[in-house]
């Protein structure tokens, strides 16, 4: 019987897609003097990027369709999964990039209970493989394609801010993702920002349109030291947007292990990171709070620009937090390894930077009025608290009155 079942499964398995033939001519060649995409990075000059070509088939399974983007340690491509009859993205890392911690995190993301409502709002790995190369191997992460990020949506809006109708459902989905991350996977993201919240592609026609565009109008490209560099291509605007998905877990850490090292983009750093106290899950909640201000108010809540003109400083950032939230509790300062740099033993500010005035949350919020404003400020204060333990959890925030109003 087992043999018959095995034969039947094999017989009804769909044949793989045949590879497509992409143009090898008819494209614009970028001038040598024009710096293109990853060409600007040191690792490119060192020959550490994988020389992917459109039309290549990797590990006999994934055919590269076009380039979606690039970063300091990777390039990202749309590909056809020939066996799975679907589109995927390939994130191809520079050679011998140490991604073991990140890949272990992706394994953990798949181990949480799939019935949790936040499971669908976390971007997981479909596959991980290695591309062998004579100069060093290239790890590759396979994931579902996504449209743009919340940041892309922000800049597509002429007012450069989210409306309540756009913000509230998006935040509900992010809090679901965080509850899954914190309670099921026991992970802290540590890098929540609008760039890392993506829109799932529900309108699959934009994937076919992308492929057709590459066939009819091949991507601009150039050859540098014998290696190809392609211009990135964007997806069309979808007819409908899919759900919000939390992505990019390259900085994620175990949540049940206390730590006090630096983390997060400067302006999103919470007090416990700045003061160097132990931190865990609540840093993500602070991150979301500061990001909400970016999205809804259309500007940063904190900047941290030091008056000495040298850019960001922790002391300038702390001064701004005090202007918004008031002074820190003394017990919070007593935990911090860096507190003595900024405060006296009895909690007085000792830096020669003035605490900003007139910048409380109530005074800084300019788009709401009356009861709606009061509820929004209460929602923000649930995330922006000096003490990590005073912040609400993702599960708590899902029940917030303003979010559900």
């Amino acid at each position: 019987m087992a043999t018959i079942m095995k034969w039947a499964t094999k017989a009804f398995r769909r044949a793989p897609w045949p590879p497509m033939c992409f143009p090898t001519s008819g494209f614009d060649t970028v001038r040598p003097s024009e710096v293109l995409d990853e060409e600007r990075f040191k690792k490119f000059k060192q020959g550490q990027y994988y020389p992917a070509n459109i039309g290549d088939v990797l590990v006999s399974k994934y055919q590269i369709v076009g380039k979606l983007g690039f970063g300091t340690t990777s390039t990202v491509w749309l590909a056809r999964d020939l066996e799975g009859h679907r589109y995927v993205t390939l994130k191809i890392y520079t050679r011998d990039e140490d991604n073991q911690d990140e890949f272990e995190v992706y394994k953990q993301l798949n181990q949480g209970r799939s019935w949790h409502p936040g499971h669908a709002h976390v971007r997981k790995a479909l596959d991980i493989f290695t591309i062998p190369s004579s100069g060093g191997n290239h790890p590759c992460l396979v994931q579902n394609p996504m449209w743009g990020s919340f940041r892309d949506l922000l800049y597509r809006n002429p007012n450069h801010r989210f409306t309540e109708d756009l913000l509230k459902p998006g935040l509900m989905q992010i809090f679901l993702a965080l509850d899954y991350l914190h309670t099921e996977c026991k992970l802290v993201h540590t890098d929540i920002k609008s760039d890392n919240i993506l829109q799932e592609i529900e309108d699959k026609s934009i994937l076919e349109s992308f492929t057709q565009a590459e066939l009819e109008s091949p991507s601009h490209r150039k050859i540098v030291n014998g290696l190809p560099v392609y211009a990135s291509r964007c997806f069309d605007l979808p007819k409908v947007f899919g759900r919000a998905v939390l992505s990019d877990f390259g900085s994620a850490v175990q949540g049940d292990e206390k730590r006090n090292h630096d983390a997060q983009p400067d302006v999103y750093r919470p007090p416990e990171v700045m003061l160097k106290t132990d931190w865990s899950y609540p840093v993500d909640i602070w991150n979301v709070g500061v990001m909400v201000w970016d999205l809804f108010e259309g500007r940063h809540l904190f900047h941290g620009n030091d008056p000495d003109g040298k850019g960001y400083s922790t002391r300038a950032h702390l001064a701004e937090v005090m202007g918004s939230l008031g002074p820190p509790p003394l017990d919070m300062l007593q935990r911090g390894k860096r507190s003595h740099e900024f405060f006296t033993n009895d909690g007085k500010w000792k830096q020669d930077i003035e605490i900003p005035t007139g910048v409380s949350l109530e005074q800084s919020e300019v788009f709401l009025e009356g009861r709606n404003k009061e509820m929004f400020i209460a929602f923000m204060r649930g995330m922006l608290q000096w003490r990590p333990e005073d912040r609400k959890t993702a599960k708590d925030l899902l029940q917030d009155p303003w979010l559900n109003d």
Side-chain angles (χ1 to χ4, degrees):
M1 179 61 75
T3 303
I4 294 173
M5 289 299 295
K6 189 174 181 180
W7 174 85
T9 301
K10 189 173 182 179
F12 287 104
R13 187 181 299 155
R14 294 169 65 191
W17 278 344
M20 299 178 73
C21 293
F22 287 90
T24 55
S25 61
F27 50 80
D28 289 341
T29 302
V30 177
R31 297 191 310 273
S33 59
E34 183 180 340
V35 176
L36 182 61
D37 286 12
E38 67 271 15
E39 188 186 354
R40 71 197 67 186
F41 297 130
K42 181 180 179 180
K43 287 193 174 185
F44 180 85
K45 296 179 177 67
Q46 295 171 339
Q48 295 188 31
Y49 282 81
Y50 179 71
N53 275 294
I54 291 174
D56 284 356
V57 178
L58 303 180
V59 292
S60 304
K61 183 175 181 180
Y62 303 110
Q63 184 179 28
I64 296 175
V65 173
K67 186 176 174 187
L68 293 169
F70 63 97
T72 55
T73 61
S74 64
T75 51
V76 181
W77 305 79
L78 182 68
R80 301 167 72 235
D81 178 353
L82 303 180
E83 293 180 8
H85 304 90
R86 60 183 175 178
Y87 283 94
V88 295
T89 58
L90 305 180
K91 186 175 185 180
I92 306 177
Y93 292 88
T94 49
R95 70 182 184 208
D96 293 332
E97 189 72 25
D98 184 8
N99 302 97
Q100 287 311 304
D101 289 345
E102 180 181 359
F103 293 163
E104 284 301 317
V105 165
Y106 279 109
K107 289 179 183 177
Q108 276 186 257
L109 292 177
N110 284 321
Q111 290 170 359
R113 289 174 286 191
S114 60
W115 53 258
H116 189 288
H119 179 271
H121 296 284
V122 169
R123 194 181 192 195
K124 292 171 282 292
L126 300 175
D127 189 12
I128 295 170
F129 65 90
T130 299
I131 307 170
S133 172
S134 58
N137 296 334
H138 296 266
C140 185
L141 176 66
V142 185
Q143 296 179 293
N144 282 322
M146 298 283 159
W147 189 75
S149 66
F150 272 20
R151 186 171 183 267
D152 295 321
L153 285 178
L154 186 69
Y155 286 105
R156 280 180 177 268
N157 187 319
N159 297 320
H160 295 305
R161 59 177 296 266
F162 276 30
T163 62
E164 283 186 71
D165 290 342
L166 183 59
L167 180 65
K168 287 180 178 180
L171 283 178
M172 293 288 277
Q173 295 171 74
I174 294 312
F175 287 134
L176 287 171
L178 275 181
D179 186 56
Y180 176 77
L181 194 68
H182 292 171
T183 64
E184 292 289 320
C185 305
K186 307 299 182 186
L187 291 168
V188 188
H189 188 283
T190 81
D191 193 22
I192 297 172
K193 54 188 178 181
S194 58
D195 309 63
N196 289 337
I197 301 174
L198 306 180
Q199 301 286 127
E200 197 170 59
I201 294 177
E202 192 169 300
D203 177 9
K204 304 298 184 184
S205 68
I206 68 172
L207 301 171
E208 295 294 346
S209 297
F210 185 100
T211 304
Q212 198 60 34
E214 186 59 44
L215 290 168
E216 295 175 0
S217 179
S219 296
H220 300 179
R221 65 198 73 174
K222 64 190 299 191
I223 300 295
V224 182
N225 298 327
L227 303 176
V229 184
Y230 288 84
S232 300
R233 186 189 292 273
C234 295
F235 287 128
D236 293 340
L237 192 67
K239 298 182 180 70
V240 291
F241 286 104
R243 54 194 164 199
V245 177
L246 183 61
S247 72
D248 197 344
F249 293 88
S251 300
V253 297
Q254 302 299 318
D256 290 344
E257 300 173 10
K258 295 294 184 182
R259 59 195 76 239
N260 60 23
H261 66 259
D262 279 345
Q264 304 156 310
D266 287 341
V267 297
Y268 282 9
R269 291 163 72 207
E272 59 267 38
V273 171
M274 290 190 276
L275 296 174
K276 215 170 181 60
T277 74
D278 288 345
W279 57 261
S280 186
Y281 303 109
V283 299
D284 283 345
I285 302 301
W286 178 279
N287 266 192
V288 175
V290 182
M291 181 193 70
V292 167
W293 199 270
D294 287 354
L295 295 174
F296 192 58
E297 300 297 324
R299 65 187 190 281
H300 285 325
L301 181 58
F302 307 119
H303 296 86
N305 292 324
D306 198 287
D308 67 6
K310 295 180 180 178
Y312 175 87
S313 73
T314 298
R315 66 174 190 161
H317 194 169
L318 284 169
E320 290 176 340
V321 175
M322 286 189 284
S324 294
L325 305 183
L330 186 58
D331 65 290
M332 175 70 180
L333 296 178
Q334 290 169 342
R335 305 179 215 168
K337 293 184 178 179
R338 293 195 64 192
S339 299
H340 68 279
E341 298 177 34
F342 312 105
F343 299 92
T344 63
N345 288 338
D346 57 354
K348 299 290 192 301
W349 180 245
K350 69 178 189 180
Q351 288 285 329
D352 60 348
I353 297 180
E354 291 187 11
I355 309 300
T357 58
V359 293
S360 68
L361 296 181
E362 290 83 356
Q363 292 167 302
S364 299
E365 203 295 309
V366 296
F367 295 104
L368 302 176
E369 296 178 346
R371 176 65 178 153
N372 195 25
K373 179 170 180 173
E374 291 175 11
M375 292 169 68
F376 174 71
I377 296 300
F379 167 64
M380 291 297 298
R381 288 196 181 280
M383 297 178 281
L384 302 180
Q385 291 286 329
W386 280 100
R387 295 188 190 94
E389 63 269 25
D390 291 344
R391 292 173 214 150
K392 293 183 177 180
T393 65
K395 190 184 296 290
D396 294 335
L397 289 160
L398 284 164
Q399 308 304 318
D400 184 83
W402 182 78
L403 211 54
N404 288 279
D405 186 33

